Amino acid sequence: VSSSMNETSNYIPAAPILLPEGPWKQISGGVTAAKGFKAAGTYGGLRAKGEKPDLALVTCDVDAIAAVLHFCFDSSILISSWFPAVRADLCAFENFPACAFTTNVVAAAPVLYCKHVLGISETARAVLINAGQANAATGDAGYQDVIECAKALAQLLQMRSEEVLIESTGVIGQRIKKEALLNTLPRLVGSLSSTIEGADSAAIAITTTDLVSKSVAIESEVGGTHIRVGGMAKGSGMIHPNMA
Amino acid sequence: TLLGVVTTDALVATDVWRKMVQVAVNRSFNQITVDGDTSTNDTVIALASGISGSTMISSCDSYEAKQLQACLDAVMQGLAKSIAWDGEGATCLIEVLYNDDSILKLYFQFIVKVIGADGEAEAAKIARSVASSSLAAIYGRDPNWGRIACAAGYAAIPFHPNELCISLGDILLMDGGQPLPFDRAAASAYLRKAGETHGTVEIHISVGKGPGIGQAWGCDLSYDYVKINAEYTT
């Protein structure tokens, strides 16, 4: 496991992270810096080209409260014409307090899925991210792919599938390479660790056309206790987000 | 597409955490732009494990909440800037922010604040309008104050044009709505140097005396962007 993670870090360099000044110090570890989190990134054959890792996983040892900000649209008529299977769920979603709407009325299958599960559960314990296919504009089939992947991962992690959140990035219009993804899950779960390498490999695995990986963590004191906030991100093209 | 996962071990109530994450996203990821193309997949997921041992933060108004908000803003802004810095084909990052002394800066790290506007949201809107204009002139190393003024002007935030002041780095290009004579060679050299070092372009803009602060980040538009996206086929 450690050798594969070392290989991961050889693919693209880390971005220079320009943090604003403040009462914190930058520490390493990205998404694993905060207590209770593990991460992993591995190659699952999902990318169109090359063998850079393309599947990442972030898990939390305990029920983590989740806040998800992504695309939402309120044209349920539009929804019913495209995704009859999810329509009822989305109506329930209307009660989701932290939502706002964007001008983009097309939402990818993983986005619809996240809305659905967070409409019925306030906590999450795993985020699975694939790079290579965006699973957007892929209709019912794309949505079913997401459900299958979430279910398979939940079984491996012995948690409810509603506790799994999914992000996808890559070519819009393409469904995920589901078999390759499902076959890779055991190895991905097996390589989970709370180490810096785990976080770094996940930050690389979520990239597409990025030339650098983006990962940062800080430690500060809140109410007299040391807390940590960390994160990873990807993005290089199609960047003009209106998230709420 | 922009994806993000943010984690913390702070102990915070669900509704407070959600509000914080929304505020931080609006001060970071929602203020970046590379190509004006809003993806179908942009998502930021923020998880709080609560096992740091800190006391529960159950109100957005508490001092601890403000401390955690500042940390969240910092992490998300750090990641957001690195995305704009890595814009496809970009040679330099542009960040826009105004500040209290009524100056807008447009640079690897610049600050936009709408002077005379109601607050943060208005400042942020102008900042992103300037950052998201193609600003191809930046790639062309052209100190084109007119295009920057234009982008500030179509942000749909009212300000009086006679209060507009624009400078590139510390080279003043426009003041009180009037273009000024300036050293064109020095201004172009400033832009060229930023491009060669994948470094910083700093532009200051003032449009009045308002209270709000906002910032935004973008990058210059180069031929490579077209090339990269022409080959990224479905």
Side-chain angles (χ1 to χ4, degrees):
Chain A
V1 166
S2 61
S3 65
S4 67
M5 261 188 262
N6 285 340
E7 288 157 21
T8 308
S9 57
N10 293 337
Y11 286 96
I12 53 174
I17 300 282
L18 310 169
L19 270 181
E21 284 167 27
W24 43 73
K25 67 178 165 83
Q26 185 166 346
I27 58 176
S28 40
V31 289
T32 58
K35 284 190 186 119
F37 290 97
K38 293 189 177 69
T42 194
Y43 175 65
L46 302 175
R47 284 184 198 286
K49 275 186 282 183
E51 296 200 1
K52 186 172 64 169
D54 47 23
L55 194 59
L57 177 62
V58 178
T59 61
C60 188
D61 300 336
V62 299
D63 266 349
I65 58 168
V68 177
L69 295 176
H70 40 81
F71 290 98
C72 309
F73 53 90
D74 58 3
S75 165
S76 52
I77 296 167
L78 193 62
I79 299 170
S80 60
S81 61
W82 283 1
F83 305 110
V86 302
R87 177 174 158 50
D89 305 334
L90 274 182
C91 291
F93 168 72
E94 300 287 333
N95 303 315
F96 190 82
C99 250
F101 296 100
T102 120
T103 55
N104 189 333
V105 295
V106 174
V111 171
L112 291 177
Y113 173 80
C114 284
K115 290 179 194 173
H116 166 66
V117 295
L118 278 172
I120 51 179
S121 163
E122 280 202 355
T123 58
R125 291 194 51 201
V127 182
L128 178 69
I129 303 150
N130 76 283
Q133 300 78 39
N135 195 7
T138 47
D140 277 351
Y143 192 80
Q144 291 311 314
D145 289 342
V146 176
I147 290 175
E148 271 186 66
C149 295
K151 234 176 229 163
L153 180 60
Q155 269 168 4
L156 279 174
L157 293 171
Q158 293 171 355
M159 60 178 66
R160 293 175 294 123
S161 60
E162 296 85 57
E163 294 183 292
V164 173
L165 300 176
I166 306 263
E167 294 181 344
S168 294
T169 182
V171 180
I172 289 183
Q174 281 188 6
R175 289 173 60 186
I176 48 178
K177 293 178 182 174
K178 189 171 57 186
E179 289 324 301
L181 190 148
L182 295 175
N183 292 338
T184 310
L185 285 181
R187 183 159 46 90
L188 184 67
V189 169
S191 61
L192 274 169
S193 79
S194 55
T195 63
I196 296 168
E197 290 72 23
D200 289 348
S201 60
I204 289 170
I206 65 174
T207 59
T208 50
T209 56
D210 309 63
L211 298 179
V212 288
S213 62
K214 295 99 174 167
S215 174
V216 69
I218 62 173
E219 184 172 75
S220 181
E221 234 183 74
V222 170
T225 306
H226 281 284
I227 65 102
R228 294 182 165 186
V229 181
M232 63 180 182
K234 62 82 55 186
S236 183
M238 283 202 87
I239 300 294
H240 196 85
N242 287 309
M243 297 186 286
Chain B
T1 298
L2 175 151
L3 295 185
V5 178
V6 173
T7 58
T8 183
D9 48 26
L11 182 59
V12 53
T14 302
D15 59 330
V16 173
W17 180 236
R18 288 183 173 177
K19 287 193 187 83
M20 281 183 174
V21 168
Q22 191 155 6
V23 165
V25 165
N26 284 339
R27 288 175 179 167
S28 58
F29 296 116
N30 271 359
Q31 286 300 109
I32 63 175
T33 180
V34 169
D35 46 28
D37 225 349
T38 302
S39 166
T40 51
N41 290 59
D42 294 340
T43 300
V44 172
I45 293 175
L47 303 173
S49 68
I51 57 177
S52 61
S54 61
T55 49
M56 165 68 87
I57 299 173
S58 48
S59 155
C60 287
D61 301 319
S62 68
Y63 179 65
E64 289 75 16
K66 291 182 181 6
Q67 283 179 305
L68 182 58
Q69 180 74 66
C71 293
L72 197 53
D73 290 352
V75 166
M76 288 198 184
Q77 284 170 2
L79 291 170
K81 287 180 201 173
S82 64
I83 287 177
W85 184 85
D86 192 21
E88 285 170 348
T91 67
C92 52
L93 166 69
I94 303 170
E95 174 187 29
V96 181
L97 169 70
Y98 293 139
N99 60 25
D100 285 341
D101 57 14
S102 314
I103 290 179
L104 159 65
K105 295 181 184 178
L106 181 64
Y107 61 98
F108 271 8
Q109 300 218 357
F110 57 86
I111 298 167
V112 175
K113 172 186 172 183
V114 170
I115 308 302
D118 291 342
E120 185 174 329
E122 287 75 15
K125 197 156 186 229
I126 281 191
R128 187 146 153 202
S129 173
V130 174
S132 58
S133 91
S134 68
L135 286 183
I138 299 281
Y139 178 66
R141 311 310 174 221
D142 171 22
N144 193 324
W145 75 92
R147 293 185 74 161
I148 294 172
C150 159
Y154 61 62
I157 300 292
F159 64 85
H160 201 291
N162 285 348
E163 298 215 46
L164 186 57
C165 160
I166 298 175
S167 54
L168 177 66
D170 49 19
I171 306 169
L172 192 58
L173 309 180
M174 176 178 248
D175 194 2
Q178 303 306 311
L180 299 176
F182 65 87
D183 181 343
R184 180 173 291 278
S188 288
Y190 175 75
L191 290 172
R192 193 176 315 106
K193 182 168 174 285
E196 283 155 6
T197 60
H198 203 165
T200 297
V201 168
E202 182 178 320
I203 297 179
H204 304 255
I205 296 179
S206 157
V207 290
K209 295 270 182 291
I213 289 181
Q215 50 189 346
W217 302 272
C219 57
D220 57 338
L221 190 62
S222 72
Y223 306 116
D224 277 350
Y225 177 84
V226 174
K227 189 166 163 301
I228 290 168
N229 282 275
E231 291 165 9
Y232 196 66
T233 60
T234 304

